[in-house]
Amino acid sequence: MSIGVGILGASGYGGAGLIERLLRHPEVEIRGLGTRQHVGRLATAAWPQLAGLTDLTFSAQNEVIERSDVVFCATPHRATAPLVAQARSVGASVIDLSADFRIPPSQYARWYGVEHPHPELFPEARYGLVELHREELCGAAIVAAPGCNATAVSLALAPLAAESLLGPEVNTSVITGASGAGRGVAEDFHFSELNENARPYKVGGEHRHIAEIEATLGRVTAMGKSLSTHTEGPGPTVTFTPHLVPMTRGILATCVTRPENNSLDGDGLLGLYLEYYAGDPLIHVQPQLPTTKAVTGSDRVLVSVRFDPRTGSVIAFAAIDNLGKGAAGQAVQGFNAAFGLDETLGLALAGGWP
């Protein structure tokens, strides 16, 4: 029997990725596409790549919630929590791509500027970084899909955290494509502003994904790979510097730390990573450095690690597609884990090279 799913925010980039993956998912039936802008229009009017593949139309979000067993929310931060509350009131489970249930309500105001509108629902939520939270996700009523940057950095560093090999400080830098800002129009994302240009943004502790990264690394440091979503542990201080570069999609994270253990070497580190991620179908640990093009259009993560004997530093890398493993693919993987399905159902494993 198929699981009836609805997608809110279906006219945005995250929504498009969900439509594509759930159309090919063998265990689901899409019962509605919610939007505030295109009610009554065919989905193909917003997404021409779906021509001939579906005759679904956009509906009001309330209608989609009412006829769905599971609601995927690809809607903005702060506006999503009320939709989650509405879905839970009619008994629907929720896969939330926004940030509204990623961090505790006590921290939410610090990072998102407003008090959390539905703190009473937070105990139902489970952080949806599947590789680190599989057991907790089974049967979850609310799956909070992680942020794209937080995903890349956390997965690059988790094996080190599990072995207490992170130094007291971690310096992380990411480059990211323009699609991470969504489909809306802003001056910085006009072609003439973005093309042949690169810029750092939200530096000096301003980026909201820092809260997720530090919390995740603290949990891994405390418990290794068998985590509890609500277990807190002392974690490193993370310096996070993102850069917008002129590409459509992709994230490459470069993370540097200096462990107190000086007996490391490159081969040992690579072996540690291979062992830690053994059996994870969407993570590929490789000796060569990862590239964003190799994961474009896919839901996998490419991870590598190096040791710098001159400085005693470990440099960890992760590449993801911000719209795949960083958004829609991650959400569908979390849905699969919550419902006891094969994690890879509906997902894309190969990237779009060249």
Side-chain angles (χ1 to χ4, degrees), residues 59 62 218 247 283 340:
S59 303
N62 291 346
M247 63 184 182
I283 298 187

Side-chain angles (χ1 to χ4, degrees), residues 27-98:
E27 301 293 336
V28 307
E29 173 193 2
I30 300 178
R31 293 185 180 168
L33 305 178
T35 179
R36 294 177 299 173
Q37 299 174 321
H38 303 289
V39 174
R41 300 178 66 194
L42 286 169
T44 53
W47 303 117
Q49 73 270 29
L50 300 177
L53 301 177
T54 180
D55 58 0
L56 288 166
T57 60
F58 292 116
S59 303
Q61 294 183 141
N62 291 346
E63 296 176 7
V64 174
I65 291 172
E66 290 291 335
R67 57 179 181 250
S68 300
D69 302 317
V70 180
V71 177
F72 285 79
C73 293
T75 42
H77 315 317
R78 297 181 289 193
T80 297
L83 298 171
V84 174
Q86 184 179 349
R88 294 297 300 134
S89 72
V90 297
S93 301
V94 177
I95 313 296
D96 179 17
L97 280 71
S98 86

Side-chain angles (χ1 to χ4, degrees), residues 210-229:
I210 292 172
E212 293 179 61
I213 295 167
E214 291 186 340
T216 296
L217 295 179
R219 291 192 293 266
V220 178
T221 299
M223 299 192 68
K225 196 173 183 181
S226 299
L227 301 185
S228 168
T229 294

Side-chain angles (χ1 to χ4, degrees), residues 122-323:
F122 184 75
E124 297 186 17
R126 297 293 178 267
Y127 192 62
L129 191 51
V130 177
E131 287 76 15
L132 304 182
H133 295 282
R134 277 190 180 89
E135 293 182 4
E136 289 220 338
L137 286 169
C138 184
I142 302 170
V143 175
C148 52
N149 294 305
T151 296
V153 172
S154 297
L155 292 176
L157 292 171
L160 298 176
E163 297 296 326
S164 299
L165 290 175
L166 292 178
E169 295 185 1
V170 179
N171 293 305
T172 65
S173 176
V174 305
I175 60 169
T176 184
S179 61
R183 206 178 187 187
V185 177
E187 183 177 291
D188 286 348
F189 297 94
H190 291 175
F191 178 80
S192 55
E193 301 285 342
L194 184 64
N195 186 46
E196 299 186 31
N197 195 10
R199 65 168 71 90
Y201 68 98
K202 293 185 180 178
V203 302
E206 295 181 6
H207 201 289
R208 294 162 172 173
H209 290 182
I210 292 172
E212 293 179 61
I213 295 167
E214 291 186 340
T216 296
L217 295 179
R219 291 192 293 266
V220 178
T221 299
M223 299 192 68
K225 196 173 183 181
S226 299
L227 301 185
S228 168
T229 294
H230 299 294
T231 298
E232 299 300 329
T237 299
V238 174
T239 300
F240 179 73
T241 307
H243 300 79
L244 178 65
V245 298
M247 63 184 182
T248 300
R249 56 203 296 169
I251 289 176
L252 177 63
T254 302
C255 310
V256 183
T257 189
R258 185 181 296 173
E260 296 179 358
N261 181 350
N262 292 320
S263 62
L264 301 170
D265 61 57
D267 290 341
L269 282 169
L270 190 64
L272 183 155
Y273 272 64
L274 287 166
E275 181 178 357
Y276 187 82
Y277 286 126
D280 282 309
L282 298 178
I283 298 187
H284 178 65
V285 178
Q286 58 186 39
Q288 65 267 37
L289 298 177
T291 67
T292 57
K293 182 171 279 191
V295 292
T296 297
S298 88
D299 297 312
R300 288 204 306 163
V301 189
L302 299 183
V303 175
S304 191
V305 63
R306 292 284 195 276
F307 179 66
D308 180 354
R310 187 179 67 85
T311 64
S313 298
V314 177
I315 311 168
F317 305 88
I320 66 171
D321 184 328
N322 59 289
L323 297 179

